[in-house]
């Protein structure tokens, strides 16, 4: 009687029975899932994930290191190949390596040697040459001690290169036994520009010596001038030629 009553009960009773069964199965499944996902298992999963990421990062670092080493080796190999190629090309021309080396050294040293030669070529030091029966107002005659730019015909130093030059002239004066009173001495530095016929005065000096009480006196004239190529520089004596005991004349490029 009970089974028949349950089987043939109304639709509402059957639906309630099915809902209770479904709810019972769902609750049991959720409880199983919660039990399966325990805290220890979550920590293990997290640790495994971190370990995998660290291994991947280590692999990436190793790959990057290998790439850098490869690029460095390639760069060094390229440099060595280029240097070897240039070294071989330096001796690939005609002549032996010693000739090439000598030519290269000459080429490298030529500017310095040229500058030194120019400096030496414009350095002049001269000593006076005394002449008999010479009146005042004359150009001094010199003998070259250093340098080759002195023109005996013009009695002048010829400037080979345009530039700044220091020009000087020094006189040692003395009184003779028969000299009395003040004796005057006068000298000028003259420049004759290239292509001109008139001399230009560069410097002028005047002095006097009292004879016989003052036996010796020194007169010096020196100054820096800008001179051009082929200019002539000479010493013009105006007065007091017989008072000269010795003299020197010099010019050099600065």
């Amino acid at each position: 009687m009970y089974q028949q009553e349950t089987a043939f009960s109304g639709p509402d009773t059957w639906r309630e029975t099915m809902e209770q069964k479904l709810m019972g199965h769902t609750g049991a499944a959720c409880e199983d899932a919660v039990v399966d996902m325990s805290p220890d298992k979550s920590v293990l999963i997290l640790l495994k994930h971190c370990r995998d990421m660290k291994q991947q990062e280590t692999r990436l670092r190793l790959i990057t290191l290998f790439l850098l080493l490869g690029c460095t080796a390639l760069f060094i190999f390229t440099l060595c190949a280029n240097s070897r190629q240039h070294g071989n090309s330096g001796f690939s021309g005609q002549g032996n390596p010693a000739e090439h080396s000598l030519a290269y050294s000459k080429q490298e040293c030529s500017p310095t040697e040229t500058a030194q030669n120019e400096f030496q070529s414009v350095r002049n030091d001269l000593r006076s040459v005394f002449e008999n029966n010479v009146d005042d107002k004359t150009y001094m005659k010199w003998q070259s001690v250093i340098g080759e730019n002195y023109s005996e015909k013009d009695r002048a130093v010829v400037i080979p290169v345009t530039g700044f030059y220091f020009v000087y002239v020094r006189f040692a004066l003395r009184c003779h036994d028969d000299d009395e009173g003040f004796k005057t001495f006068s000298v000028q530095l003259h420049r004759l520009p290239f292509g001109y016929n008139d001399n230009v005065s560069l410097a002028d000096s005047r002095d006097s010596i009292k004879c016989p009480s003052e036996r010796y006196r020194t007169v010096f004239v020196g100054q820096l001038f800008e001179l051009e190529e082929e200019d002539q520089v000479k010493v013009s004596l105006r007065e007091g030629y017989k008072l000269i005991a010795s003299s020197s004349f010099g010019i050099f490029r600065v």
Side-chain angles (χ1 to χ4, degrees), residues 21-154:
K21 289 182 179 182
L22 289 174
M23 288 180 64
H25 288 296
T26 304
C30 290
E31 288 179 359
D32 293 339
V34 171
V35 172
D36 291 339
M37 289 298 294
S38 63
D40 295 337
K41 191 172 183 179
S42 301
V43 172
L44 291 176
I45 294 174
L46 181 60
L47 290 175
K48 184 179 179 182
H49 180 69
C50 293
R51 185 168 58 251
D52 294 339
M53 291 183 64
K54 184 176 292 186
Q55 291 177 355
Q56 186 177 3
E57 183 179 359
T58 303
R59 285 193 294 268
L60 290 175
R61 288 183 178 180
L62 290 175
I63 293 172
T64 305
L65 179 61
F66 287 140
L67 288 175
L68 289 176
L69 291 176
C71 293
T72 304
L74 180 61
F75 179 72
I76 295 175
F77 176 77
T78 304
L79 287 179
C80 293
N82 290 334
S83 61
R84 189 175 302 172
Q85 183 178 1
H86 287 298
N88 294 332
S89 62
F91 299 106
S92 60
Q94 296 180 354
N96 54 27
E99 293 178 353
H100 284 280
S101 178
L102 182 60
Y104 180 77
S105 62
K106 287 182 178 180
Q107 195 175 30
E108 286 292 323
C109 298
S110 59
T112 304
E113 292 178 355
T114 302
Q116 291 178 354
N117 292 333
E118 287 183 358
F119 178 78
Q120 293 176 357
S121 65
V122 296
R123 181 180 179 183
N124 293 87
D125 186 69
L126 306 100
R127 298 291 182 267
S128 59
V129 176
F130 293 101
E131 301 175 280
N132 297 323
N133 302 322
V134 175
D135 296 331
D136 294 338
K137 297 183 180 180
T138 183
Y139 285 108
M140 294 286 297
K141 185 178 181 180
W142 305 94
Q143 180 181 4
S144 180
V145 178
I146 300 175
E148 300 177 353
N149 300 318
Y150 177 67
S151 172
E152 293 185 1
K153 177 183 177 182
D154 300 317

Side-chain angles (χ1 to χ4, degrees), residues 183-195:
K183 300 295 181 180
T184 306
F185 180 81
S186 176
V187 65
Q188 290 181 344
L189 286 175
H190 282 181
R191 171 195 174 195
L192 179 62
F194 179 71

